[in-house]
């Protein structure tokens, strides 16, 4: 499922953004720009509904980035967040439909700031779990949460999505 979105981004969306990309390494960044800079695509099809209760962030704009992923990318890597969710209602929390592309350089993600919140996945961690590690099954145990309003909007009105 992730590779299919990477293909759509590479073939349809990136050219509309003026990006000239080639596929990256299988376990490295998703793409390499013409200047050799890494570009990593993160797709979000559902918001973090309990973000306000857990992190004090509005679910409408809250997106997760796995801590282990962030640690392996160089600071100049462009993190592109592709959001695509319908109007949703869960836990008596409503979010509006949202579609778009946002970006930030990994080195520009502020640590300890309100735009960069930290949360452990309850089912994958315990009190001794360290950030950036993996559970016995290889899953990330924690995530950093970004507020989309603090990232640069990359897409433009009239952009073709299909």
């Amino acid at each position: 499922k992730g590779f299919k979105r990477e293909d759509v981004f590479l073939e349809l969306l990136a050219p509309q953004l003026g990006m000239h990309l080639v596929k990256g390494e299988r376990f490295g960044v998703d793409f390499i720009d013409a200047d050799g800079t890494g570009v990593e695509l993160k797709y979000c099809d559902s918001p973090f509904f309990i973000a306000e209760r857990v992190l004090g962030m509005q679910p409408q704009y809250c997106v997760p980035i796995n801590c282990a992923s962030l640690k392996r990318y160089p600071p100049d890597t462009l993190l592109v967040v592709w959001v695509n969710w319908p109007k949703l209602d869960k836990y008596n929390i409503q979010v509006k439909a949202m579609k778009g592309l946002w970006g930030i350089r990994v080195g520009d993600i502020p640590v300890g700031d309100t735009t960069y919140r930290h949360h452990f996945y309850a089912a994958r961690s315990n009190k001794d779990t360290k950030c950036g590690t993996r559970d016995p099954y290889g899953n990330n145990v924690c995530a950093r949460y970004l507020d989309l309003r603090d990232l640069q909007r990359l897409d433009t009105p009239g952009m073709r999505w299909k």
Side-chain angles (χ1 to χ4, degrees):
K1 154 169 136 175
F3 294 120
K4 186 175 182 180
R5 291 190 184 108
E6 287 177 11
D7 290 342
V8 170
F9 182 78
L10 181 67
E11 296 166 13
L12 180 65
L13 303 178
Q16 293 179 77
L17 299 172
M19 295 178 159
H20 306 285
L21 306 175
V22 295
K23 284 240 183 192
E25 298 176 22
R26 173 80 169 96
F27 294 105
V29 293
D30 293 327
F31 310 104
I32 308 293
D33 203 343
D35 66 2
T37 304
V39 177
E40 181 65 17
L41 179 66
K42 297 295 180 190
Y43 184 86
C44 298
D45 59 4
S46 177
F48 184 41
F49 279 97
I50 59 171
E52 192 158 2
R53 180 170 50 107
V54 175
L55 302 167
M57 297 175 73
Q58 290 185 22
Q60 183 70 50
Y61 306 103
C62 183
V63 294
I65 306 299
N66 289 321
C67 295
S69 296
L70 282 176
K71 288 183 176 188
R72 75 172 193 253
Y73 305 134
D76 64 341
T77 301
L78 176 63
L79 179 66
V80 175
V81 181
W82 178 359
V83 170
N84 185 23
W85 58 66
K87 179 181 175 184
L88 296 166
D89 187 337
K90 192 172 183 180
Y91 309 116
N92 291 322
I93 298 165
Q94 297 175 351
V95 294
K96 298 174 187 170
M98 191 171 215
K99 180 188 279 190
L101 297 165
W102 287 261
I104 188 170
R105 298 270 174 211
V106 168
D108 292 337
I109 296 173
V111 178
D113 192 313
T114 57
T115 57
Y116 191 70
R117 306 282 175 98
H118 180 257
H119 179 70
F120 282 92
Y121 301 123
R124 300 181 190 169
S125 60
N126 61 46
K127 65 180 179 61
D128 298 320
T129 303
K130 303 271 187 278
C131 177
T133 60
R134 296 181 182 273
D135 71 8
Y137 305 102
N139 299 308
N140 288 297
V141 296
C142 61
R144 301 288 178 170
Y145 288 83
L146 302 175
D147 188 319
L148 291 172
R149 296 169 295 183
D150 296 318
L151 279 61
Q152 179 183 353
R153 185 79 188 245
L154 300 176
D155 60 305
T156 58
M159 194 166 174
R160 285 187 11 246
W161 294 91
K162 293 182 182 183

